[in-house]
Amino acid sequence: MKARAAARGAPEVSARTRQGAEARDLSWVEAAVWTERMVSALVNGVKGGRWFSLIDKVFAPATLALGYEKVASKGGAAGVDGQSLERFAARSEIYLAELSTELREGRYRPQPVRRVEIPKGDGGLRPLGIPAVKDRIAQAAMKLVIEPIFEAQFLEGSYGFRPGRGCHDALREVDRLIKQGFTHVVDADLANCFGSIPHEPLLQRVGERISDGRILDLLRGWLEADILAGMERWTPTAGAPQGAVISPLLANIYLHPLDERMAALGYRMARYADDRAPRRREEEVLM
């Protein structure tokens, strides 16, 4: 994750920044998951600011089917169980029905995450976690359900791993601010962003918006899933696997207070993720 902050004295926070997602386009929200009533609640707010009873949306067959489509479209390698996307596709209806039942009955348990290292542009190595196909689908279903809740509060200055946004949008915003007269710039890079996220503060932030214990238990299970690297196996005490479907959203949830703090101080920040080229390299290695 990277961020650029610009200041011209201490400018007043714009109305657009204060309003957050109130006027944001929600056309990307999946209608099969989010009913009109739920979308209306995103705009108007829910009682107490917290959402309840969301797990049934996650294990709904329609949500899992959409999650599978998204996972299949990304491609990628098999997890620790050796099951490829091709093998899953051969019996996808059966596997998705089994996954729905496991999630509904509380019997679902994530498998360990396979760790590999891929080359970085600077000559180093990037650790990448590869969950099993079934776990990627469950995470994709979870993302379809909870992402709109947090998108409704994310600020305009956040560009990384968000629907319809990317690093080029962040660069255009920086260019706009420079032309507007902002001349003092701080360029910062968050080292090991995914790997250093503390679990408890992250889950606490999720819990501020979602009061569904089974949702929180699933997220904890993915965060604490064992890591397998060759013959080594360990349980992570911090971090979200880079390569897991749910991790980018969790990173944004954890970093949201930073965005709020910078805005409250009057700084204009463009936070983004330079993930385009690395993502292509990951797909080449993992296919």
Side-chain angles (χ1 to χ4, degrees):
M1 285 281 190
K2 296 191 176 185
R4 283 190 170 87
R8 180 178 57 189
E12 196 175 315
V13 180
S14 69
R16 186 180 180 191
T17 299
R18 287 196 303 270
Q19 291 169 356
E22 289 178 11
R24 190 169 297 153
D25 177 23
L26 295 174
S27 61
W28 58 273
V29 175
E30 292 288 352
V33 180
W34 279 79
T35 64
E36 277 191 31
R37 182 180 177 185
M38 292 174 69
V39 172
S40 177
L42 279 178
V43 177
N44 300 318
V46 292
K47 186 176 181 180
R50 286 181 171 159
W51 292 74
F52 295 82
S53 303
L54 293 172
I55 188 64
D56 62 311
K57 299 290 184 183
V58 176
F59 63 65
T63 309
L64 289 173
L66 278 171
Y68 170 53
E69 287 179 12
K70 292 184 177 297
V71 169
S73 70
K74 297 289 186 183
V80 296
D81 59 358
Q83 185 180 53
S84 64
L85 280 165
E86 290 75 20
R87 283 179 56 193
F88 191 97
R91 303 182 64 194
S92 61
E93 290 186 10
I94 294 174
Y95 291 140
L96 288 174
E98 290 175 350
L99 178 57
S100 177
T101 300
E102 290 175 4
L103 288 165
R104 183 178 68 252
E105 297 179 354
R107 294 188 290 106
Y108 168 82
R109 297 293 182 274
Q111 298 185 65
V113 176
R114 182 163 71 91
R115 168 71 67 86
V116 298
E117 292 184 331
I118 64 171
K120 294 173 61 176
D122 60 5
L125 295 173
R126 180 194 305 272
L128 187 70
I130 310 174
V133 171
K134 183 175 75 170
D135 295 329
R136 301 208 295 266
I137 294 170
Q139 290 184 21
M142 173 73 79
K143 187 170 181 282
L144 287 166
V145 173
I146 71 171
E147 184 173 39
I149 295 171
F150 294 97
E151 271 291 320
Q153 71 175 16
F154 289 160
L155 302 187
E156 289 294 319
S158 171
Y159 292 90
F161 306 113
R162 294 186 59 194
R165 289 171 163 238
C167 58
H168 287 102
D169 299 301
L171 293 173
R172 278 189 283 270
E173 173 64 6
V174 171
D175 181 65
R176 187 186 69 81
L177 290 171
I178 291 173
K179 291 176 180 176
Q180 191 177 326
F182 289 78
T183 55
H184 294 79
V185 179
V186 176
D187 188 358
D189 191 353
L190 302 180
N192 190 27
C193 177
F194 282 69
S196 60
I197 296 174
H199 292 167
E200 294 308 322
L202 168 61
L203 291 170
Q204 181 179 348
R205 288 171 188 172
V206 175
E208 291 171 357
R209 299 302 309 277
I210 295 176
S211 290
D212 186 327
R214 293 183 64 184
I215 293 288
L216 296 174
D217 287 344
L218 279 175
L219 293 174
R220 181 183 295 277
W222 291 324
L223 290 170
E224 297 179 353
D226 281 0
I227 306 293
L228 285 181
M231 299 300 292
E232 295 184 54
R233 178 170 179 157
W234 70 92
T235 302
T237 57
Q242 186 163 347
V245 176
I246 200 68
S247 292
L249 173 60
L250 295 180
N252 276 332
I253 292 171
Y254 182 71
L255 291 172
H256 176 64
L258 168 65
D259 301 338
E260 291 184 310
R261 178 63 173 163
M262 293 295 285
L265 291 172
Y267 296 107
R268 305 292 292 275
M269 182 170 70
R271 180 169 61 79
Y272 67 100
D274 56 345
D275 62 324
R276 291 175 179 252
R279 178 61 56 189
R280 286 196 296 270
R281 288 197 297 271
E282 289 166 13
E283 290 172 353
E284 290 168 3
V285 171
L286 298 178
M287 288 299 288

